[in-house]
C-alpha cells in the first residue's frame, strides 16, 4: 500500500453496535488488489505504546470494514454514537486514529501504562491533588490514632 502514507479520512460512529466500522469506499478502491487482512490501530498521541490488531473485512460489494477486534478498540476508547474518528494511514497496514466526542473536542485517554513508560501524562494535576489529600488524611488519622493510644488527652493541634 505504498503511496498511501499520510492519507486521511474521517468517519462518524453511526451504528449502535461496535462490532464493525465501515471505511470510505474511495480508500478501499485505492488499495486495488493490495487489501490487507489485518491492520494495526493506535490512538493519536500515544506513540507506539499500544497497538490494536484489527481484522479487515471486505463484503461482496467492495465495502471495507474494520471487523473482528474492532469492538475491543471501540470499547476501550468508549466510542459512542456521534463520535468523530479521524484516520491517518501511516503505511505498513497501520492507522493512527484521533477520536473526538459529540462536542467535536479531542478525547484524551489516561492509560494504566502511562506512568510506567516515562510519560508525564500519567500524573495530572487532579491526580496529584487527590494523592496529596489522601496522604494528608492518612497522616492525620495515624497521628490521631497514635495520640489516642499513647495519651489520655486528644492532641490540640488537630
Amino acid at each position: 500500500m505504498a503511496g498511501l502514507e499520510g492519507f486521511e479520512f474521517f468517519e462518524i460512529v453511526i451504528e449502535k453496535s461496535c462490532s464493525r466500522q465501515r471505511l470510505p469506499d474511495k480508500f478501499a478502491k485505492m488499495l486495488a488488489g493490495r487489501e490487507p487482512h489485518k491492520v494495526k490501530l493506535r490512538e493519536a498521541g500515544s506513540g507506539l505504546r499500544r497497538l490494536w490488531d484489527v481484522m479487515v473485512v471486505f463484503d461482496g460489494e467492495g465495502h471495507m470494514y474494520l471487523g473482528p477486534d474492532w469492538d475491543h478498540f471501540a470499547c476501550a476508547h468508549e466510542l459512542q454514537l456521534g463520535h468523530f474518528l479521524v484516520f491517518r494511514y501511516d503505511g505498513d497496514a497501520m492507522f493512527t486514529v484521533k477520536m473526538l466526542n459529540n462536542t467535536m473536542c479531542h478525547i484524551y485517554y489516561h492509560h494504566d501504562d502511562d506512568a510506567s513508560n516515562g510519560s508525564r501524562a500519567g500524573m495530572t494535576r487532579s491526580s496529584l491533588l487527590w494523592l496529596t489529600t489522601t496522604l494528608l488524611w492518612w497522616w492525620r488519622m495515624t497521628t490521631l490514632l497514635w495520640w489516642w493510644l499513647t495519651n489520655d488527652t486528644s492532641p490540640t493541634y488537630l
Side-chain angles (χ1 to χ4, degrees), residues 120-134:
R120 293 190 45 165
M123 186 59 74
T124 62
R125 210 176 270 246
S126 61
S127 61
L128 185 59
L129 179 62
W130 177 86
L131 178 63
T132 304
T133 304
T134 303

Side-chain angles (χ1 to χ4, degrees), residues 86-154:
V86 180
F87 289 84
R88 184 183 74 229
Y89 184 69
D90 297 325
D92 296 325
M94 184 179 304
F95 287 97
T96 299
V97 184
K98 182 185 286 188
M99 286 135 304
L100 296 95
N101 61 22
N102 295 339
T103 65
M104 291 299 151
C105 294
H106 185 191
I107 304 170
Y108 293 95
Y109 299 93
H110 173 75
H111 299 287
D112 292 338
D113 63 343
D114 283 346
S116 65
N117 70 7
S119 171
R120 293 190 45 165
M123 186 59 74
T124 62
R125 210 176 270 246
S126 61
S127 61
L128 185 59
L129 179 62
W130 177 86
L131 178 63
T132 304
T133 304
T134 303
L135 289 173
L136 181 60
W137 177 86
W138 179 83
W139 178 80
R140 290 185 68 162
M141 290 300 110
T142 55
T143 303
L144 183 60
L145 181 61
W146 180 78
W147 272 99
W148 182 71
L149 291 173
T150 59
N151 296 320
D152 290 336
T153 61
S154 296

Side-chain angles (χ1 to χ4, degrees), residues 58-82:
F58 289 87
D59 65 10
E61 299 175 12
H63 302 299
M64 179 180 182
Y65 296 89
L66 296 176
D69 299 321
W70 165 253
D71 58 337
H72 298 295
F73 181 86
C75 289
H77 293 90
E78 300 174 348
L79 297 180
Q80 301 172 11
L81 288 174

